[in-house]
Amino acid sequence: MEQINLRPHIAGQVRLWALALAMMFGAISNAAAQADLADQIAKADLGYGEYLAGECAACHQKSGKGIPQINGIEAKTFVAIIKAYRSKELDNKVMQMIAGRLDDEQIISLAAYFSSLPE
Amino acid sequence: MTLISRRGFGGLFGTSALGLAMPSLAFGAVPKVVVIGGGAGGATAARYLAKDSKGALDVTLVEASKRYYTCFYSNLYIGGFRKYGSIGHNYYGLAVNNRINVVHEWAASVDGAAKTVNLASGGKLSYDKLVLSPGIALKYDSIAGYSPQAQGRMPHGWTSGTQAQQIRNQVLTMKKGGTFVMVPPPNPYRCPPGPYERASMIAHLLKERNPTAKIIVLDPKEKFSKMGLFMAGWEKHYPGMIEWLGPDAHGGIKSVNHETMEIVTDLDTFKADAACVVPAQRAGSIATAAGVTDGDWAPIIPATMASKADPNIHVLGDASVASSMPKSGFSANSQAKVAANAIRGELTGSRVYKPRFANTCWSLIATNDGIKVGANYKAGSEKIDVVDKFVSQSGESADVRKTTYEESIGWYNGITTDMFS
């Protein structure tokens, strides 16, 4: 089973992400699912991701204090976390609301965009 | 060799030969966008227009102040949670990193037919699209006796800067056991939870320095944003210190007198040792001068934030009629991205995505006791409609409240970076 690398900027939020981590092992632990996600990321519309990312940029910036910075985040980590907020398994009212109206294509586009940025 | 300037070229061929269809797009001239107002709406719009168009748009930002003090977090400055300097921002990032032409002047009027902005200094700017994000103007005459003169002793503190400094100073120098009177504005106004966060921050200052002092809130409204949460927080942290009186209790605000420091209501006269009086509000004056207001505010088309009165003018933030979106910095920042996307699409042919809006308002009641309310929205045909919303709950754990406060610090850093970097 592949380990998910929680990047240092997210490490501070480990408590919050613990559930996501558990979920990720369940959700994308098999190779087929991972290959499928990689394929979707590769085909994603970066321009759409960049547009949607405007909503994230109001809060998620480099300092990372209080709100994690997400530039350069691994795509599969991003997808797992956003889906966990969408299903309300992760507990933050703002993020549950923001993720709540993202469909799968939008999540993939955002993951492709943020993972393409330098940290 | 004769050089033809961009403007001359556009004037010669653009307007005379092909002008009616695509005035400045002809022959590759760079379309011009002028943004008036360098706050949460205008700075964000200018930055996203410049950043995303990568030189395909000529972006000018008109903002009189060389240093911008955010209204959001000015209450935390009053309460001592932030240094004054930390809520000030300059336009270096917009000018240098994003190559925006930042004009530190006052925009006096707009000629919508000629598509020009006249500066108070006498200069002129021409535009293909104009973005107005002027924030609020105060309706001083909404309270008898209130005026720009009166705000020296009864500061409104609703436009940040020195007004916020005056309020903090008043609280710090108030006599022992004195009375601070706060008069919040009637709806609609900038920052719905702002007056109540302010009362909280003043109480926080007084609790340590002047614990027998009192705060009386004379509200023209019967209820307010996050009312239950604030009331519970006041009872918990400042028992007996803050007295909130709605119109049922005082009968309505009649007048104020900054010389006697009296606030007269229908049922009583309140003598203040220090006061904060926030009058009713309307769209910043340039919106009226541009002819895009209907009454006090500027109606917009939700999908693009374009004015209903002039398709070449977009109105953002507090000045606009954004239906259920509150007048907040977060809202203005969100609306700016929708407008920038629409304007760029129209002027450069870039893809226009479906508009989406969001807002969250964090408030601080006491040390590590943060609350929040928020919603996301979509563009309906007539109004901006709520999709989903949330609000902090009463009785949340201290951990949740502390995390909420820390999140608001992250948001402040985030939005100011999104506006100015």
Side-chain angles (χ1 to χ4, degrees):
Chain A
M1 183 188 285
E2 190 186 342
Q3 290 290 319
I4 304 292
N5 170 34
L6 280 182
R7 288 168 183 274
H9 55 263
I10 294 179
Q13 304 278 318
V14 163
R15 250 181 332 139
L16 193 69
W17 310 107
L19 185 56
L21 196 64
M23 245 204 54
M24 282 184 283
F25 287 131
I28 50 169
S29 58
N30 68 71
Q34 284 186 29
D36 188 39
L37 180 63
D39 188 47
Q40 289 175 29
I41 296 288
K43 288 180 186 157
D45 181 346
L46 276 180
Y48 190 33
E50 183 175 14
Y51 169 70
L52 294 169
E55 195 163 80
C56 315
C59 300
H60 292 272
Q61 294 280 348
K62 282 204 169 148
S63 89
K65 186 172 191 283
I67 294 178
Q69 90 96 352
I70 52 176
N71 290 4
I73 188 172
E74 262 189 305
K76 60 185 172 185
T77 307
F78 182 92
V79 170
I81 289 170
I82 295 299
K83 286 188 173 174
Y85 279 121
R86 190 172 65 179
S87 61
K88 302 198 189 314
E89 286 164 85
L90 275 178
D91 185 24
N92 179 296
K93 288 174 189 293
V94 182
M95 284 309 301
Q96 287 177 351
M97 178 186 78
I98 295 291
R101 74 160 160 179
L102 292 172
D103 62 29
D104 286 355
E105 185 206 351
Q106 290 169 330
I107 294 174
I108 294 287
S109 303
L110 280 165
Y113 174 70
F114 279 114
S115 64
S116 77
L117 297 177
E119 271 182 45
Chain B
M1 181 176 156
T2 307
L3 288 172
I4 301 174
S5 74
R6 185 181 295 156
R7 186 170 297 173
F9 190 68
L12 185 57
F13 298 105
T15 39
S16 59
L18 297 162
L20 291 177
M22 299 179 80
S24 60
L25 302 186
F27 308 108
V30 179
K32 293 185 279 293
V33 184
V34 173
V35 180
I36 299 177
T44 305
R47 180 165 172 267
Y48 274 71
L49 284 162
K51 173 173 82 67
D52 294 343
S53 69
K54 300 176 174 68
L57 290 175
D58 177 339
V59 183
T60 298
L61 175 65
V62 182
E63 164 57 53
S65 309
K66 289 181 177 156
R67 194 162 178 80
Y68 178 83
Y69 288 90
T70 57
C71 254
F72 43 95
Y73 262 41
S74 63
N75 283 333
L76 273 68
Y77 153 71
I78 290 170
F81 290 88
R82 294 288 287 222
K83 296 283 183 212
Y84 186 63
S86 78
I87 60 167
H89 304 268
N90 63 43
Y91 292 92
Y92 175 89
L94 295 187
V96 175
N97 303 341
N98 296 281
R99 303 190 174 198
I100 293 164
N101 175 22
V102 182
V103 176
H104 289 300
E105 299 220 31
W106 192 255
S109 63
V110 173
D111 183 337
K115 295 205 269 185
T116 53
V117 173
N118 300 303
L119 302 174
S121 64
K124 223 184 243 301
L125 295 161
S126 64
Y127 63 83
D128 294 293
K129 290 281 181 188
L130 176 64
V131 178
L132 296 181
S133 192
I136 53 158
L138 298 165
K139 296 171 78 171
Y140 286 98
D141 58 5
S142 65
I143 302 174
Y146 200 63
S147 65
Q149 207 107 52
Q151 77 176 35
R153 291 199 66 201
M154 293 181 158
H156 50 79
W158 226 243
T159 49
S160 200
T162 48
Q163 278 281 300
Q165 291 179 305
Q166 267 176 299
I167 290 173
R168 179 169 160 82
N169 187 53
Q170 273 198 359
V171 179
L172 293 177
T173 57
M174 196 167 82
K175 76 172 188 195
K176 293 294 166 208
T179 301
F180 190 100
V181 177
M182 162 120 208
V183 181
N187 289 322
Y189 62 97
R190 161 183 285 180
C191 191
Y196 314 99
E197 181 184 59
R198 177 163 296 174
S200 308
M201 291 295 94
I202 292 169
H204 173 78
L205 265 190
L206 291 173
K207 189 179 176 182
E208 275 184 19
R209 296 157 193 267
N210 191 351
T212 55
K214 294 269 179 292
I215 299 166
I216 297 174
V217 182
L218 297 174
D219 209 320
K221 307 180 293 297
E222 281 164 14
K223 53 182 187 172
F224 57 85
S225 171
K226 296 185 268 194
M227 185 168 181
L229 295 167
F230 276 113
M231 293 284 202
W234 293 344
E235 193 51 44
K236 179 178 177 190
H237 300 289
Y238 318 112
M241 184 176 258
I242 303 176
E243 186 180 6
W244 179 86
L245 301 173
D248 284 353
H250 58 68
I253 311 291
K254 292 296 168 204
S255 65
V256 298
N257 184 330
H258 67 281
E259 284 165 354
T260 60
M261 290 298 280
E262 285 175 331
I263 294 95
V264 181
T265 69
D266 200 30
L267 300 178
D268 213 343
T269 294
F270 295 82
K271 180 93 173 74
D273 296 295
C276 167
V277 176
V278 189
Q281 295 156 28
R282 59 177 172 81
S285 300
I286 192 70
T288 314
V292 296
T293 50
D294 179 7
D296 287 335
W297 311 99
I300 48 89
I301 294 163
T304 59
M305 298 301 294
S307 159
K308 284 189 174 168
D310 184 335
N312 295 313
I313 301 180
H314 296 247
V315 188
L316 306 178
D318 298 349
S320 69
V321 179
S323 336
S324 42
M325 273 188 105
K327 298 186 186 301
S328 73
F330 198 127
S331 292
N333 170 270
S334 175
Q335 293 159 8
K337 291 164 191 171
V338 168
N341 188 247
I343 291 168
R344 198 160 61 87
E346 208 174 316
L347 294 179
T348 71
S350 65
R351 273 177 68 184
V352 177
Y353 297 101
K354 198 172 170 184
R356 43 201 298 125
F357 303 93
N359 176 64
T360 297
C361 294
W362 286 269
S363 304
L364 187 62
I365 303 176
T367 305
N368 289 327
D369 192 354
I371 53 175
K372 57 185 172 181
V373 60
N376 53 18
Y377 308 84
K378 63 180 179 187
S381 56
E382 282 301 310
K383 298 201 317 279
I384 297 178
D385 297 319
V386 175
V387 175
D388 193 12
K389 59 184 177 181
F390 71 85
V391 61
S392 293
Q393 300 300 302
S394 57
E396 285 171 335
S397 71
D399 261 8
V400 168
R401 293 296 178 87
K402 182 167 186 280
T403 304
T404 301
Y405 170 55
E406 287 167 353
E407 189 177 87
S408 81
I409 299 172
W411 167 74
Y412 186 89
N413 293 336
I415 192 171
T416 50
T417 304
D418 202 29
M419 289 162 65
F420 294 116
S421 69

